């Protein structure tokens, strides 16, 4: 069985790793295990240039078989896999996917401000293929600013994860806003999906201290967003997820 938490990134996945470790210690959980970043970069190369498809599929599936062997209690939390999501379904292997989404405007502000982990933050914009991006890229890609490119990235990454739904034996989608809701009923409803999907037994209580701490926070951003671009690029998919697009 292969168990994945997938998203476009900046959706509370580091918190989910900590939550599972604390409440289900018999379940191994890894966040972006190596060499996932390199697999993501090769996925970008494949998607953009149309080369090495068979090689990248074999490597991706070999990594899956190595990390998700039969009988292992293991969950992989990996936003890097958006670019190779199509390689995750495998004949004879059960696939369970938790898809975490976030409001596109908030996500775009977060990703353009955070950029990457501290050791890569200053150079990430200069490394080829180092961030997932849509394929094919829109004709205006070179003229877009970072925020608009992030919106395209949000739509493309979430679409690629959505396309796994017919191949997954179990698929659930949860919203970042619900996981971190101040309303206990909403928060616990979202987490129940996670615990049921992966057959975890020890649910936290609504008032557990773990919900009061922030993990991997985004630096403050003064970006006002771009409502017209948000609606044009993300509108239909955002509506599917129950998001309204307006300045926030």
């Amino acid at each position: 069985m292969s168990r994945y938490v997938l998203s476009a990134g900046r959706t509370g996945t580091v918190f989910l790793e900590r939550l599972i470790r604390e409440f289900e210690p018999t379940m191994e959980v890894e966040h972006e295990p190596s060499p996932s970043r390199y697999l993501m970069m090769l996925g970008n190369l494949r998607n953009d240039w149309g080369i090495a498809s068979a090689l990248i599929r074999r490597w991706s599936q070999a990594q899956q078989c190595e990390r998700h062997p039969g009988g292992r209690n293991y969950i992989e939390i990996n936003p890097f896999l958006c670019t190779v999501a199509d390689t995750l379904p495998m004949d004879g292997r059960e696939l369970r996917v938790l898809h975490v989404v976030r409001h596109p405007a908030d996500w775009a502000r977060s990703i353009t401000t955070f950029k990457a982990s501290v050791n890569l933050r200053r150079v990430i914009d200069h490394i080829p293929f180092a961030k997932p991006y849509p394929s094919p890229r829109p004709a205006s890609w070179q003229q877009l600013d970072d925020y608009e490119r992030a919106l395209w990235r949000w739509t493309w990454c979430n679409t690629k994860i959505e396309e796994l739904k017919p191949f997954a034996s179990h698929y659930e989608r949860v919203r970042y806003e619900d996981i971190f809701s101040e309303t206990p009923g909403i928060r616990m409803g979202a987490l129940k999906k996670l615990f049921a999907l992966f057959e975890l037994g020890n649910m936290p209580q609504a008032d557990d201290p773990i919900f009061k701490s922030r993990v991997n926070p985004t630096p403050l951003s003064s970006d006002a967003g771009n409502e017209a671009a948000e609606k044009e690029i993300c509108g239909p998919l955002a509506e599917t997820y129950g998001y309204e697009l307006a300045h926030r």
Side-chain angles (χ1 to χ4, degrees):
M1 180 191 298
S2 299
R3 302 179 182 94
Y4 289 100
V5 177
L6 302 177
S7 79
R10 303 306 299 157
T11 53
T13 51
V14 174
F15 168 79
L16 293 180
E17 177 190 22
R18 177 184 170 196
L19 182 77
I20 296 169
R21 286 184 188 277
E22 182 164 333
F23 287 93
E24 194 61 71
T26 62
M27 181 68 74
E28 296 179 65
V29 57
E30 285 189 289
H31 188 272
E32 298 175 354
S34 179
S36 300
R37 182 179 292 277
Y38 300 107
L39 182 59
M40 179 269 293
M41 294 170 73
L42 286 174
N44 270 332
L45 177 68
R46 177 200 66 168
N47 298 339
D48 204 41
W49 293 4
I51 63 174
S53 294
L55 177 63
I56 292 167
R57 176 173 292 274
R58 284 198 298 271
W59 188 37
S60 175
Q61 295 188 342
Q63 289 294 317
Q64 182 175 181
C65 290
E66 179 180 338
R67 291 199 291 268
H68 301 257
R72 183 184 184 189
N73 288 331
Y74 176 76
I75 297 172
E76 182 172 342
I77 301 177
N78 205 339
F80 284 146
L81 295 180
C82 292
T83 69
V84 292
D86 61 293
T87 69
L88 299 185
M90 297 175 62
D91 290 340
R93 177 180 289 269
E94 183 181 353
L95 176 64
R96 298 190 177 210
V97 174
L98 181 74
H99 179 189
V100 188
V101 300
R102 183 175 180 176
H103 190 287
D106 291 343
W107 184 88
R109 292 188 188 96
S110 179
I111 203 71
T112 54
T113 304
F114 184 79
K115 293 184 179 290
S117 56
V118 173
N119 59 329
L120 289 174
R121 193 167 296 162
R122 294 185 178 181
V123 299
I124 192 73
D125 290 334
H126 307 290
I127 302 175
F129 302 115
K131 296 185 287 188
Y133 51 72
S135 178
R137 283 178 275 181
S140 59
W141 183 259
Q142 296 302 326
Q143 286 73 51
L144 299 179
D145 60 31
D146 287 346
Y147 187 81
E148 292 168 317
R149 291 187 181 189
L151 295 173
W152 278 109
R153 179 177 169 188
W154 180 92
T155 297
W156 187 83
C157 285
N158 284 300
T159 298
K160 293 293 110 180
I161 300 171
E162 286 277 343
E163 290 174 356
L164 288 174
K165 191 184 303 185
F167 303 99
S169 60
H170 297 73
Y171 171 97
E172 287 283 1
R173 185 196 312 126
V174 298
R175 305 196 317 174
Y176 165 94
E177 294 80 7
D178 295 341
I179 293 171
F180 295 100
S181 173
E182 294 295 327
T183 303
I186 294 175
R187 182 171 67 241
M188 298 308 292
L191 294 179
K192 282 179 181 177
K193 290 184 178 182
L194 181 156
F195 277 73
L197 178 72
F198 296 133
E199 299 177 320
L200 308 178
N202 302 311
M203 277 284 294
Q205 298 298 312
D207 59 351
D208 193 277
I210 196 170
F211 297 119
K212 299 186 182 298
S213 61
R214 296 190 66 190
V215 181
N216 206 22
T218 303
L220 293 176
S221 170
S222 59
D223 196 327
N226 182 332
E227 185 175 350
E230 292 156 16
K231 290 181 177 179
E232 178 182 355
I233 298 168
C234 307
L237 193 58
E239 184 176 348
T240 297
Y241 297 161
Y243 292 128
E244 295 182 3
L245 295 182
H247 285 315
R248 293 161 64 79

